[in-house]
Amino acid sequence: MMGGMAGLEGVEQPRQRGGATAARWVPVADDEEALKALELLGNPTEDEVRLPSLPESAATARRLTQCVVLRQWALGPQIAEHAILLVSELVGNAVRHTGARVFGLRMLRRRGWIRIEVRDPSRGLPCLMPVREMDTSGRGLFLVDKLSDRWGVDLLPRGKTTWFEMRVSDR
C-alpha cells in the first residue's frame, strides 16, 4: 500500500500552495479564452461590459476578471481566486434573481483597492441570509461578505449596482 501512494505525493503539493479553488477557477489553459473575451466584449476597466443574462455568462465574467486581475493589474493568485469566485456569485445572482435580459460588469482600481461591480435593471435588493453547513444554495452573498473587505448595493434610477471591494498591495 505504501509504495502505491508514493507516486501521488507530488500531485497534491502544488494544489496545497495555490489552493484547490485556484486550480479550479484560474486555469492557465483559460488564459487564451480570457484574452479572447476581453478583445471581443471590451475591457471592463475602461467601460461597463454588457453580457446576456444567461448562466454561461458567469464563465465569461470569470474569464474577464481573470484577465484583468492577473494580467492587467498583475495581482497575486489569491486575490484573483477570490475576485473570480465573487464575480461568479454576483453574476449568478443577477442571472437567477432579476429577470433581466442583460447585466453590466465593471472593474475599477484605485490605490490599495479593487472594486468589481455588477449592474442589473432590478431594484430588488439582495439579502444576506444565514448559512448552515449543509445548505446547497444561498451562499453567494455569504461568500462575498466573508472574502471581500467591503460590499454593498447602490440603487439607481433604473436598477442597482451590487459591488465588492478588496484591499490590494500596490507595488
Side-chain angles (χ1 to χ4, degrees), residues 113-160:
W113 291 90
I114 63 168
R115 178 180 173 113
I116 299 182
E117 304 174 343
V118 174
R119 187 183 57 79
D120 66 67
S122 167
R123 288 180 55 88
L125 295 175
C127 189
L128 180 60
M129 305 292 285
V131 175
R132 292 184 305 268
E133 191 177 331
M134 299 305 287
D135 290 346
T136 57
S137 66
R139 294 178 182 265
L141 284 180
F142 174 80
L143 288 171
V144 171
D145 189 57
K146 292 296 175 203
L147 297 177
S148 68
D149 291 294
R150 294 193 290 232
W151 72 274
V153 180
D154 298 332
L155 282 176
L156 307 168
R158 291 191 172 166
K160 68 179 173 298

Side-chain angles (χ1 to χ4, degrees), residues 83-134:
I84 290 165
L85 176 62
L86 299 187
V87 160
S88 195
E89 295 299 337
L90 292 188
V91 167
N93 285 348
V95 170
R96 270 191 302 279
H97 302 298
T98 67
R101 286 193 318 272
V102 297
F103 66 89
L105 176 67
R106 214 170 119 210
M107 301 179 195
L108 308 160
R109 182 165 184 192
R110 67 181 193 280
R111 186 176 179 85
W113 291 90
I114 63 168
R115 178 180 173 113
I116 299 182
E117 304 174 343
V118 174
R119 187 183 57 79
D120 66 67
S122 167
R123 288 180 55 88
L125 295 175
C127 189
L128 180 60
M129 305 292 285
V131 175
R132 292 184 305 268
E133 191 177 331
M134 299 305 287

Side-chain angles (χ1 to χ4, degrees), residues 14-130:
R15 267 189 193 204
Q16 289 168 354
R17 280 195 299 271
T21 307
R24 210 168 35 248
W25 292 110
V26 193
V28 175
D30 266 1
D31 205 35
E32 197 174 303
E33 293 269 339
L35 288 170
K36 250 188 256 180
L38 200 65
E39 191 177 305
L40 188 65
L41 300 167
N43 189 330
T45 66
E46 295 167 5
D47 201 6
E48 179 180 89
V49 170
R50 293 170 56 88
L51 297 167
S53 192
L54 299 167
E56 52 268 25
S57 290
T60 304
R62 285 193 298 269
R63 283 188 199 104
L64 289 169
T65 303
Q66 172 188 339
C67 202
V68 167
V69 173
L70 288 175
R71 282 180 164 263
Q72 190 173 335
W73 290 343
L75 297 172
Q78 185 72 54
I79 292 286
E81 174 184 340
H82 289 172
I84 290 165
L85 176 62
L86 299 187
V87 160
S88 195
E89 295 299 337
L90 292 188
V91 167
N93 285 348
V95 170
R96 270 191 302 279
H97 302 298
T98 67
R101 286 193 318 272
V102 297
F103 66 89
L105 176 67
R106 214 170 119 210
M107 301 179 195
L108 308 160
R109 182 165 184 192
R110 67 181 193 280
R111 186 176 179 85
W113 291 90
I114 63 168
R115 178 180 173 113
I116 299 182
E117 304 174 343
V118 174
R119 187 183 57 79
D120 66 67
S122 167
R123 288 180 55 88
L125 295 175
C127 189
L128 180 60
M129 305 292 285

